[in-house]
Amino acid sequence: MKVNKRFLRDIEVSSVGYGCMGLSHGYGALPERKQAISLIQHALDQGCTHFDTAEVYGNGHNETLVGEALHPVRDKVVIASKLYIDESRTDMSLEGQIRQHLDASLERLNTDYIDIYYQHRVSQTVAVEEVAACMGKLIQEGKIRGWGQSQATADQIKRAHAVTPLTAIQSEYSLMERVFEEEVLPLCQALNIGFVAFSPLASGFLSGKAQPQSQHAGDDVRRVITRFSDENTARNQPLIDLIQTLAERKAATPAQISLAWMLCKWPFVTPIPGGRRVERINENMAADKVIFSPSEFKEFENKLSQIKIYGNRTDEDIAKLKDNA
């Protein structure tokens, strides 16, 4: 399949990427290793060139999967990963800590460079300028091609970008979570910073298949994300109805409409939906073939603005998975 391309600053990626987290964590029982590797390679076969992982997904398990799956085509893909900075550490400098995390990720990914290296959630106590300076050194050394921040504010972006230009910001963005449209997305557009949308299908809610009293068990984020409560699932039905109406008109699926909407709205945004079934990956990769006419987009946006969204996805709620496993 031929997938359209776009740029995260100066790094070319497929318009729809693949978020690999769900192969190691977050959505219940995990696929077997061979199946997980096969799914990553199937996304590649469907035209995906942008693969997103992180050191914390499965405590390194996810990076290992990505590394094994993509090693034979390393020069043809963009691999993004993330590190958490431990604010409490006093035994090592910030640069030393970042290098230690990076070296471990490089080993798991079986590569000598990472295309986009993110700070996984911006620290409130470590100066973004110091992180940016470290990332600049790593870019000069060729260990990373570019860097990014996750869930950053407009102020954090400006300050970091002034030290070492940012390649991308990665944050939650979907039809159900649009807070970054207020400041961050316009700022990214002005500064030529890409924006990578995680959870672009709202953890699957926008597929239209969420139902009250759905059962989720174990390591499944849908147990703790409040939009999936029985009450909020019902209250958010007007949004699903709006998406479904347009999907039927355009012979598309609700998921494809949800992804196509952000691709149409922002030329520098790339969603990274997951997918643990071949048909879901095929569906997501085909979303960039769904085109909105100007009148369709305006009508959809007008109706969207009148719909209230109930429930959200927070890090605090996700943390409850550990307490309620």
Side-chain angles (χ1 to χ4, degrees):
M1 178 188 297
K2 182 176 175 56
V3 176
N4 294 323
K5 307 291 185 181
R6 52 182 55 191
F7 283 88
L8 301 174
R9 193 167 187 83
D10 56 358
I11 296 180
E12 186 181 65
V13 296
S14 51
S15 59
V16 179
Y18 184 53
C20 300
M21 184 194 79
L23 302 176
S24 301
H25 155 70
Y27 290 95
L30 299 179
E32 294 184 355
R33 184 183 67 84
K34 288 185 178 180
Q35 181 187 3
I37 290 171
S38 176
L39 288 168
I40 295 170
Q41 293 173 337
H42 181 77
L44 176 71
D45 291 341
Q46 292 301 301
C48 181
T49 63
H50 179 198
F51 297 84
D52 185 87
T53 182
E55 63 179 11
V56 299
Y57 298 162
N59 294 320
H61 174 262
N62 202 249
E63 286 184 323
T64 301
L65 289 177
V66 171
E68 184 172 349
L70 299 178
H71 182 69
V73 292
R74 180 64 187 94
D75 61 336
K76 296 180 174 62
V77 297
V78 169
I79 296 176
S81 194
K82 318 175 195 69
L83 84 150
Y84 269 111
I85 294 174
D86 185 348
E87 303 170 17
S88 66
R89 289 189 67 172
T90 58
D91 62 321
M92 185 178 292
S93 68
L94 174 64
E95 181 176 337
Q97 185 182 161
I98 291 175
R99 288 181 180 276
Q100 184 180 69
H101 283 265
L102 175 59
D103 287 344
S105 287
L106 289 171
E107 182 174 357
R108 287 188 292 266
L109 288 163
N110 193 19
T111 184
D112 56 5
Y113 71 96
I114 290 175
D115 295 280
I116 307 174
Y117 198 42
Y118 294 97
Q119 182 182 3
H120 204 166
R121 304 295 190 270
V122 178
S123 168
Q124 298 304 310
T125 61
V126 178
V128 294
E129 292 87 351
E130 294 182 26
V131 177
C134 293
M135 294 294 189
K137 290 182 181 179
L138 296 174
I139 291 172
Q140 290 178 345
E141 295 169 14
K143 287 195 168 185
I144 64 175
R145 291 177 63 199
W147 82 288
Q149 296 173 314
S150 174
Q151 300 286 84
T153 66
D155 177 66
Q156 290 166 334
I157 293 169
K158 290 176 186 176
R159 288 161 47 205
H161 187 74
V163 176
T164 301
L166 284 152
T167 304
I169 298 299
Q170 182 175 142
S171 297
E172 181 183 7
Y173 181 51
S174 73
L175 285 166
M176 299 192 82
E177 182 53 78
R178 304 191 300 276
V179 65
F180 289 103
E181 291 185 342
E182 297 172 11
E183 291 184 282
V184 169
L185 279 158
L187 177 63
C188 287
Q189 187 169 40
L191 297 178
N192 188 28
I193 301 170
F195 188 97
V196 176
F198 77 72
S199 199
L201 298 177
S203 300
F205 196 101
L206 295 173
S207 69
K209 297 171 184 174
Q211 297 293 327
Q213 300 181 336
S214 295
Q215 297 298 310
H216 304 290
D219 180 29
D220 193 320
V221 296
R222 290 167 292 189
R223 293 173 53 209
V224 293
I225 296 176
T226 55
R227 66 172 66 108
F228 283 94
S229 72
D230 290 349
E231 179 183 14
N232 287 338
T233 298
R235 295 167 84 186
N236 285 318
Q237 189 59 41
L239 174 62
I240 300 302
D241 291 342
L242 173 64
I243 298 169
Q244 184 64 51
T245 298
L246 185 57
E248 291 174 359
R249 185 193 310 170
K250 301 189 77 64
T253 68
Q256 289 173 333
I257 294 295
S258 301
L259 296 174
W261 163 79
M262 68 175 67
L263 292 172
C264 177
K265 190 165 188 176
W266 308 96
F268 57 93
V269 168
T270 62
I272 49 169
R276 301 202 300 185
R277 294 166 58 188
V278 165
E279 53 266 37
R280 292 288 78 76
I281 293 173
N282 294 348
E283 177 184 3
N284 294 339
M285 290 300 143
D288 74 348
K289 303 298 186 291
V290 179
I291 306 299
F292 286 75
S293 70
S295 60
E296 284 176 330
F297 188 80
K298 182 178 180 180
E299 177 187 6
F300 187 84
E301 284 273 279
N302 287 340
K303 291 180 178 178
L304 180 64
S305 68
Q306 299 170 31
I307 295 175
K308 182 176 180 178
I309 304 300
Y310 296 90
N312 58 10
R313 177 195 188 282
T314 69
D315 289 345
E316 291 76 15
D317 285 337
I318 300 300
K320 295 175 184 176
L321 276 178
K322 296 179 181 179
D323 300 327
N324 300 311

